[in-house]
Amino acid sequence: MDATAHYRHLLQLGREEFLASSAPAVLVRYRSVHDSADGGAATLTLDQDEDEPAETIEETLPHGKDFAVREDMDLEVYPLAKKPGASFPDRITIGRTPNNDIVIVDHSVSRLHAYVRLDGKTWTVADAGSKNGSWLDRSALDARKERRLASKSILRVGDVDLTFFLAADLFTALGGL
């Protein structure tokens, strides 16, 4: 079972079980399930209508105070957890290669692109010196300079947009009551 299916299953068990069994935080990548011309899933931008052509669309940035995942959206959930034996024990690495804790296979993502870290009760994020850069809520991240990561923030690594959720906020976004 992949992480997304696992979180959807936990949602059915209720809030307490969801929070007890999930990672403390996750990154979520959204996509529309409408087929694109190349046979893959098309994705939507914030300012694009679903009826417009999707040839230049890369990612979705759904957010907002009351955002909930719709049935016409597909999502990938990346739990913020270390892989056993992975490098940098104090950081959760994000990159294109399998030795990262979070692997995002995309040409715009560097081998080691960025990292997140839990410092006490505060999550932080930093670009790892990537070629295509990283942004937090549309503000560029400086290489290896950590910034606070708040729940529901949008993290862009290369051309890939990810939404950061604390577990309780993810439960609500997935439609939990």
Side-chain angles (χ1 to χ4, degrees):
M1 175 182 304
D2 71 353
T4 304
H6 174 71
Y7 278 85
R8 289 191 188 273
H9 172 74
L10 289 177
L11 185 66
Q12 297 171 0
L13 301 177
R15 182 180 175 84
E16 294 304 316
E17 184 67 25
F18 184 93
L19 296 177
S21 301
S22 64
V26 299
L27 293 172
V28 177
R29 183 178 186 185
Y30 297 92
R31 300 171 185 260
S32 171
V33 295
H34 299 290
D35 290 336
S36 64
D38 63 4
T43 55
L44 304 173
T45 60
L46 287 175
D47 55 353
Q48 182 173 19
D49 190 359
E50 289 186 36
D51 297 328
E52 292 179 31
E55 59 272 350
T56 61
I57 303 170
E58 291 295 328
E59 294 304 316
T60 297
L61 296 173
H63 61 9
K65 188 174 181 180
D66 298 320
F67 175 77
V69 176
R70 300 183 325 243
E71 287 188 29
D72 67 339
M73 286 183 177
D74 189 18
L75 60 122
E76 298 170 18
V77 177
Y78 301 99
L80 294 181
K82 284 300 293 176
K83 286 183 180 176
S87 300
F88 308 108
D90 64 330
R91 300 170 187 168
I92 298 168
T93 60
I94 303 167
R96 181 178 75 233
T97 57
N99 60 327
N100 287 287
D101 299 302
I102 297 175
V103 178
I104 300 174
V105 181
D106 186 276
H107 70 282
S108 68
V109 176
S110 295
R111 289 176 291 197
L112 172 58
H113 198 102
Y115 65 87
V116 294
R117 188 169 72 82
L118 182 58
D119 185 16
K121 293 186 178 186
T122 303
W123 286 92
T124 60
V125 62
D127 184 89
S130 67
K131 178 180 177 184
N132 292 321
S134 301
W135 294 262
L136 179 59
D137 292 328
R138 299 183 186 201
S139 175
L141 293 174
D142 294 325
R144 292 169 287 287
K145 185 175 179 188
E146 293 182 0
R147 296 226 333 247
R148 185 177 179 277
L149 189 56
S151 192
K152 302 179 189 173
S153 295
I154 305 297
L155 173 64
R156 175 170 270 233
V157 291
D159 293 335
V160 177
D161 293 314
L162 305 160
T163 304
F164 171 79
F165 284 104
L166 294 173
D169 292 329
L170 178 63
F171 179 80
T172 302
L174 292 175
L177 303 173

